[in-house]
């Protein structure tokens, strides 16, 4: 088992404050952003900078701009549910050393 799961979804047009987002990023081990089409979403980048002890894992859609920037992220096709499921499993079972190495690739 993986432990408790926190599912977060915004329900209105208001964006959480920076302090609220930082608290959220520090609380979760895996950040998932899987849009079908998107410009540059800064939330995955915020997550990488905020979640550093131990490093977290980012799962991003290969169709997002973040997938070009975050070299340590796990990239998935958002239409492939099997690949998304496998990425969740990989992220949740990943060693701390691999998490740190992936984060370091993102920060270089």
């Amino acid at each position: 088992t993986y432990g408790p799961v926190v599912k977060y979804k915004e329900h209105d047009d208001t964006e959480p404050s920076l302090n609220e987002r930082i608290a959220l990023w520090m609380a979760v081990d895996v950040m998932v952003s899987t849009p079908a089409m998107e410009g540059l979403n800064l939330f995955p980048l915020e997550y990488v900078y905020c979640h550093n002890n131990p490093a977290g894992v980012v799962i991003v859609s290969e169709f997002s701009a973040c997938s070009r920037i975050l070299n340590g992220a796990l990239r998935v096709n958002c239409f492939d549910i099997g690949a998304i499921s496998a990425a969740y499993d990989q992220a949740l079972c990943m060693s701390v050393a691999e998490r740190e190495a992936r984060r370091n690739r993102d920060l270089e």
Side-chain angles (χ1 to χ4, degrees):
T1 64
Y2 300 121
V5 174
V6 175
K7 183 177 179 181
Y8 174 79
K9 182 178 179 182
E10 293 179 38
H11 292 285
D12 55 23
D13 292 333
T14 61
E15 186 174 295
S17 71
L18 179 59
N19 288 337
E20 292 170 331
R21 290 194 317 266
I22 289 173
L24 180 64
W25 301 151
M26 292 175 71
V28 299
D29 294 323
V30 179
M31 194 277 186
V32 181
S33 177
T34 54
M37 182 172 61
E38 177 177 66
L40 182 57
N41 178 355
L42 297 178
F43 289 172
L45 300 170
E46 286 179 1
Y47 175 79
V48 168
Y49 285 103
C50 292
H51 199 286
N52 59 4
N53 193 11
V57 179
V58 178
I59 299 173
V60 293
S61 168
E62 63 188 14
F63 303 116
S64 69
C66 282
S67 72
R68 309 303 185 272
I69 296 169
L70 295 175
N71 296 319
L74 300 176
R75 291 178 185 84
V76 295
N77 180 326
C78 62
F79 299 108
D80 185 347
I81 299 208
I84 294 171
S85 176
Y88 270 108
D89 187 56
Q90 181 182 356
L92 293 169
C93 295
M94 192 177 290
S95 70
V96 173
E98 185 177 352
R99 287 173 177 246
E100 293 290 337
R102 287 178 172 277
R103 182 174 187 275
N104 290 339
R105 277 189 272 173
D106 291 335
L107 296 178
E108 291 177 351

